[in-house]
Amino acid sequence: SRHCQFSDDARTEFQLSSHGNKEALLEAIQRIRYKGGNTKTGRAIKHVKESIFTPEGGARRGVPKVLVVLTDGRSQDDVNTVSKEMQVEGYIIFAIGFADADYGELVNIASKPSDRHVFFVDDLDAVKKIEEQLITFVCEAATATCPSVLMSGNTMAGFRMMEKFGLVEKEYGAVPGVSLEPGSFNSFPCYRLHRDALVSQPTKYLHPEGLPSDYTISMILRLLPETPQEPFALWEILNKEREPLVGLILDNSEKTLTFFNYDYKGDFQTVTFEGPEIRKLFHGSFHKVGSSFSFTAGRYTSQSRCAPQSNPASMFQGVWENDTLTFTLSILHILS
C-alpha cells in the first residue's frame, strides 16, 4: 500500500514497500497531516505513475496496480491524458469525490465501468455509506488473478500480449530477432519476427495463477513471402522442461492451422483446420486470429465445423468440441 497527498505538488507519504503489515500501515496513515493548497490532480496521478508504481517504489510484476483517488474539488490541471494512459496500461483506478468535486472528471479519471469505479459523497463523513461496497470492489481488483486492460471502453480481465513480451517501441530493441515495421498497419505499431526468432516470457509474469478455465488469445498478423515452409508455433505454452503443452501451429507448406493440447487424462490431442478460408491466412494481408477455450464437464460430442460470414472483411469460425473442451477458432481477414 502507498499514500500520496497533492495540492500544487504531490508529496509521497510512504512507498508501497515501506510497511510489512497492516498494523504498521494503519499507524502510518494516522500520522499523515492534511496538505492544503490547490488541486493539481493530474500532476498527482502522474507522480504516482512515475514515482510510486515503479520497482524502486515497491511495485511487483504480476501484481495488480490499484489506485484510489480522493478529491474534494475540480482539478486545476489536465487529468484526462495521464488517466487514460494508465487505464490503457492496465492500472485499475477508483475515483472518490466529495464536496466540490466534478462528477464528469471523476468518470474520466476512473476505470470503466463507472458504476464500479466512481463514488461521490457529500463530505468525508459520508464515506461510511460507500465503505463496504468500495472495500469489496477494491479488494476484488487487488486480488484478481488476471490483470486488467481497457478494451472497447471498458476495463476487463486480460493483458496486451505485445507489451508483456516487450514488443513496444522502447523495449523491442532488446528482443533478439525483432524489428519495427513503421506505418505497416494503420496507427498501430507492427513488429517483424525474423527467421528463428523466439519471443517468450515466464508465465509467472503474465498470469501467475495459471490459465483459467475460459480464456481467449487474439492477435493480428501477416505472413511474409519469406516465411519458412516448415510448421511453426504461432503461440504455445511450454512446461518447465520446455515441452509444448498447448498451442497453435501454422503450416506454411500445407496451408493448415492446427490446435494441440493435452486432455484431462494426459492424452495428446490435435485438431487441424484447412480449406479456402484458412488458406487466406497465407496470402500476405493482415488477419486477426482469435483462439477461445472453454473447459466444461458432461459434454460428449466431437465435431469440427466452419461458418463463414458475409462481412466487408470475410470471417471464418471453426468450433471443435470433446467431452471437456470447447475450442473456437475465429479469423477475420482484414482488407488492407
Side-chain angles (χ1 to χ4, degrees), residues 1-6 10-19 25-35 44 47-48 51-53 57 66-70 124:
S1 180
R2 175 262 352 137
H3 191 281
C4 168
Q5 282 203 72
F6 61 94
R11 181 178 74 202
T12 300
E13 299 290 346
F14 48 79
Q15 298 280 4
L16 291 165
S17 55
S18 296
H19 304 286
L25 174 62
L26 292 175
E27 288 179 11
I29 293 174
Q30 292 299 321
R31 290 194 297 269
I32 293 173
R33 294 295 172 259
Y34 175 70
K35 178 179 174 67
H47 172 80
V48 170
S51 302
I52 303 297
F53 283 121
V66 182
L67 172 63
V68 180
V69 178
L70 294 93
L124 274 177

Side-chain angles (χ1 to χ4, degrees), residues 91-157:
Y91 292 79
I92 306 165
I93 307 177
F94 293 86
I96 305 172
F98 53 95
D100 298 321
D102 181 272
Y103 183 79
E105 187 173 84
L106 299 177
V107 169
N108 289 334
I109 291 173
S111 300
K112 307 298 182 288
S114 298
D115 57 2
R116 284 185 64 92
H117 299 91
V118 177
F119 297 84
F120 197 96
V121 293
D122 294 331
D123 51 49
L124 274 177
D125 292 332
V127 171
K128 285 286 185 183
K129 297 178 182 177
I130 64 168
E131 183 178 52
E132 184 174 342
Q133 188 177 44
L134 175 64
I135 290 173
T136 298
F137 289 165
V138 170
C139 287
E140 286 177 355
T143 58
T145 59
C146 188
S148 297
V149 65
L150 184 67
M151 296 288 289
S152 303
N154 281 320
T155 303
M156 60 183 65

